Amino acid sequence: MWCMRLRLGLSVLAAVLLAVLLGLALRLPGGRDGGGAVLAVSDAAVRRVASEAVETRITLAAAGDTMFDRGVKAQTAAHGPGYPFSATSDILSRADICFLNLETSLSTSGSPIPGKGIWFRSDPSFANELLRAGVDVISLANNHILDYDDPALLDTMRVLAASGIRAVGAGADLAAARRGAVISSRGISVAFLAYCELAYIFWSYSYPKWFAAGRDRPGVAPMDEQLILEDVRRAKRNADHVVVSFHWGDEYVQIPSDRQIRLAQLVAEAGASVVLGHHPHVLQPIEVYRGAVIFYSLGNFIFDQRKPLTVDSMIALVTLARDRVVSCEFIPCRIENCCPRPLNSNRARAAIRDMARLSSRRSTVVWASGDRGRVLIPPGESRAKSERALKLLP
C-alpha cells in the first residue's frame, strides 16, 4: 500500500511540475464552487523556469595568498613538489576557472630589495604545480612579487605565460599591468583585473624602489580609484563578468577597513560581479552588494604562518550565468604544515559559523549546507545589478 501511495504522490508532484513548465492551469479538489481551486502560473514564471533550466553556468574557484618559499619550500623538499596542492587540487581543477594570488616570484634571478626584511622567491618549476592543480589565472599585484626586483617579476610573467597561466595586475609598464585578462568557458566570458594597495611603499632611502608600474617601468597596478573604475567599466564592455582582485587591508585584522568597503562597493556599482581580497593573512567577511559577491579577504592558502587565525582558509566557489551571479558557497579549510585541507563535520560547521558571524556585520547571510558554507543572494538582486551595469556603459 505504501508503494502505491508513494507512486501516487510522485505522479501528483510530476503533474504539478509539468503544469508549471507548460503554463497550464491545474485544478485541485476543494474549490468553493465544487469544481476545485485553480493554481495559475504566469507566462513570465514559466519562461523564467524554462530558461534557467537550460541556461549555461560556470563555476569560479578562488583562494588567497600562495607562495612556495621559506617553510613551504622545506615541506616540498620533504614531501615532493605536488604536496601543497595535494588536498585541494581535485576541488580547484573541477572548477571551470580557478584563481589564486601568487605572493612570490617564480625565478632564479634578481637581487633582494634592500631594507625589505622579508623576501619571497620560488623555483620556476612551481608553475607546473599550479597548472596541475587547475589554476587558470593569477594575480601578481601584491607586495612580494618584486622582492627580487624587476628581473624576477619579468621572469615570473614569462614562466606563467609559457605554462598557459594568465597573469594579471603586473606588467612591463602601467598599461600592461592594468590590462587584465579575459577567460571564456562554455561561452561565458570573465575579465580579471588586479590591484595592490601597497604599490607606493618603499623600504630603503638608499634604494627607494616602489612596486607601482609606470609609463616605462615594470611593476604592479596601483590601487588608484579613478584608474580602477575606468578599467572595470572598460572590461564590462568586453566580457559578461568582471572579477576584481585587491591586495589590500590591514594585516591580521578580520574586519575590513572603511577604504576596503568603499572601493569594493564602488567597483560593484561599476559592473564587477566578484571582488576577491587578500593580504591580511586572515579571513574577513563576505558581503553581497547589489548582486556582486565581495570576499574582503580569502586569507592564506599555501603559506607557512602558524598563528591561530592565519591557518584558517577557504576556497570560494561562485556560480555564474551569462547575466548574473547564480550562487556562492565556500569550502572551509585549515592549513596544516603549509598544506590547506578541507574541513569536515564539526570543524567545518564551526568555521562556517565564524564566517556567518563575520558576514552578518555586512548584512549578509551565511549558513552551513553539509561541510560547505552557502551565501544568500537575494532573488532578482543580480538581474537588477546587470541592468544597472549596462546603463553605466557609455
Side-chain angles (χ1 to χ4, degrees), residues 89-110:
S89 60
D90 286 350
I91 298 169
L92 302 180
S93 60
R94 280 199 299 268
D96 297 288
I97 303 174
C98 177
F99 167 95
L100 293 179
N101 170 56
L102 183 63
E103 195 143 13
T104 178
S105 59
L106 300 178
S107 176
T108 57
S109 64

Side-chain angles (χ1 to χ4, degrees), residues 19-232:
V20 169
L21 290 174
L22 297 179
L24 302 176
L26 182 66
R27 188 169 298 278
L28 301 175
R32 291 182 181 177
D33 59 358
V38 173
L39 174 64
V41 181
S42 70
D43 290 342
V46 173
R47 286 194 297 271
R48 179 169 180 177
V49 169
S51 66
E52 291 187 1
V54 299
E55 73 180 349
T56 300
R57 297 177 177 183
I58 63 172
T59 300
L60 165 68
D65 293 336
T66 297
M67 63 90 167
F68 306 103
D69 201 359
R70 209 167 59 183
V72 185
K73 181 179 181 180
Q75 290 292 333
T76 57
H79 302 293
Y83 167 76
F85 289 106
S86 59
T88 55
S89 60
D90 286 350
I91 298 169
L92 302 180
S93 60
R94 280 199 299 268
D96 297 288
I97 303 174
C98 177
F99 167 95
L100 293 179
N101 170 56
L102 183 63
E103 195 143 13
T104 178
S105 59
L106 300 178
S107 176
T108 57
S109 64
S111 300
I113 288 181
K116 196 166 185 293
I118 298 175
W119 299 270
F120 294 150
R121 182 177 62 178
S122 303
D123 193 279
S125 64
F126 280 106
N128 296 326
E129 303 310 319
L130 291 165
L131 190 64
R132 289 191 185 100
V135 178
D136 300 288
V137 57
I138 275 174
S139 169
L140 299 180
N142 57 64
N143 60 312
H144 283 288
I145 192 61
L146 277 153
D147 284 357
Y148 282 77
D149 223 326
D150 295 349
L153 166 63
L154 298 174
D155 278 354
T156 304
M157 293 189 295
R158 284 192 290 267
V159 167
L160 292 172
S163 298
I165 298 172
R166 307 293 295 274
V168 295
D173 53 37
L174 179 58
R178 294 175 60 191
R179 191 168 296 135
V182 177
I183 297 178
S184 294
S185 178
R186 304 188 197 178
I188 297 176
S189 55
V190 184
F192 289 85
L193 301 166
Y195 305 90
C196 180
E197 185 177 33
L198 308 169
Y200 288 109
I201 292 176
F202 65 89
W203 289 266
S204 172
Y205 284 101
S206 66
Y207 189 72
K209 165 78 174 181
W210 61 44
F211 282 17
R215 173 177 281 185
D216 301 306
R217 183 179 64 248
V220 303
M223 213 169 81
D224 180 297
E225 181 180 304
Q226 181 178 345
L227 297 183
I228 291 167
L229 295 179
E230 287 176 6
D231 294 346
V232 171

